[in-house]
Each structure stands twice: as C-alpha cells, then as structure tokens.
Amino acid sequence: MATAFETTQDTVRSAVTQLSTQAEAALSNGKAAMEQVTAKSKEAVEASMKSMDEMGEMTRANVDALMVSAKAATTGVEQLMAHLTEASKKSFEETSAMVKTLASAKTPNDLMQLQSDFAKTQFDEAVAQYSKMTEMMVKLAGEVMEPMQNQMAVATDKLKSAWTAK
C-alpha cells in the first residue's frame, strides 16, 4: 500500500507542478497581454491628444483668419464711406455753384447751354465715381476673402496629407 500511496503522492505532486507551471504561464501571458493593451491604449490616447491639439491650432488659425478678414472689411467699408462722403460733398458744392451760375444766365439759350454742360459733367463724374467705387469694392472683397482662402488652403493640405498618410 505504501507503493500505491507513494504513486498517488507522486501523481499529485506532478499534477500540482504541472498546474503551477500552467498557472505561471497563464499569468505571464495575461501580464504580457495587459502590457500590450496598456501600450496600445497609451498610443491611442497620445494620438487623440495630438489630434485634439491639431484641431485646437486649426480653430485658433480659423478665428485669426476671420479676425483679419473682419478688420479688412471694417477698414474697407470706412474707406468706401469716406469716398462716398467726399464725392457727395463735392457734388453738392458743384450743384450749389451751378444753381448760382444758372441764376445769372441772361437768355434761355444760355440757361439751356449751362444746364446741358452741367448735366454732361455730372454724368461723366458719376461714371467715374461708379468705376472707382466698383474698383474699391472688388479690392475690398479680395482683401476680405484672402485670409479665409489661405486658411482653407492650409486645411485642405492637412486633410489631403491625412488621407494620403493612411
């Protein structure tokens, strides 16, 4: 019976050793898997933080471009209004002077000639003013849109490089 007892004891020891080895292997594998999960999670968090930083930078750049555009628009509108004010003042002064000149006309023919000359001059001046205003507005539109277009080009380049990197 001692032999059977010893055999059973050897079998139990062998089973315990085998279970111990398997438990250590499972523990080691589990530890390696957890380390791998931790490393992948850390990489994902770092990539997310980088993306968030890039988005923050892009947002700041967008706001800056918008502010530059708004400043250009404000300056341009002020210049347009100053031009309109000056043109209106000049037209009022010319019309006032013309009224005085018309009052001094001696004959109806003189009056008609003065009125005709004044109308022609005013028409030519109006065409010139409209041309200048159109030129100013086209320039203003370009100045207002330039910062936004530049920022859009930067964003497009970043998206393009992000798509091609994958």
Side-chain angles (χ1 to χ4, degrees), residues 37-53:
V37 166
T38 302
K40 292 289 184 186
S41 296
K42 185 178 177 182
E43 288 175 16
V45 167
E46 288 172 356
S48 295
M49 292 303 291
K50 182 180 176 187
S51 294
M52 293 296 282
D53 288 344

Side-chain angles (χ1 to χ4, degrees), residues 84-105:
L84 280 172
T85 302
E86 187 62 35
S88 297
K89 182 180 173 184
K90 181 181 175 189
S91 179
F92 178 77
E93 290 170 355
E94 289 172 353
T95 303
S96 296
M98 185 59 186
V99 168
K100 290 177 186 175
T101 304
L102 289 174
S104 68

Side-chain angles (χ1 to χ4, degrees), residues 53 55-65 151:
D53 288 344
M55 287 175 52
E57 289 172 22
M58 184 65 85
T59 300
R60 274 191 290 294
N62 290 344
V63 170
D64 290 345
Q151 188 57 31

Side-chain angles (χ1 to χ4, degrees), residues 9 15 28 45 62 110 147-148 162 166:
Q9 210 175 21
S28 177
V45 167
N62 290 344
D110 289 344
M148 298 306 290
K166 291 182 180 186

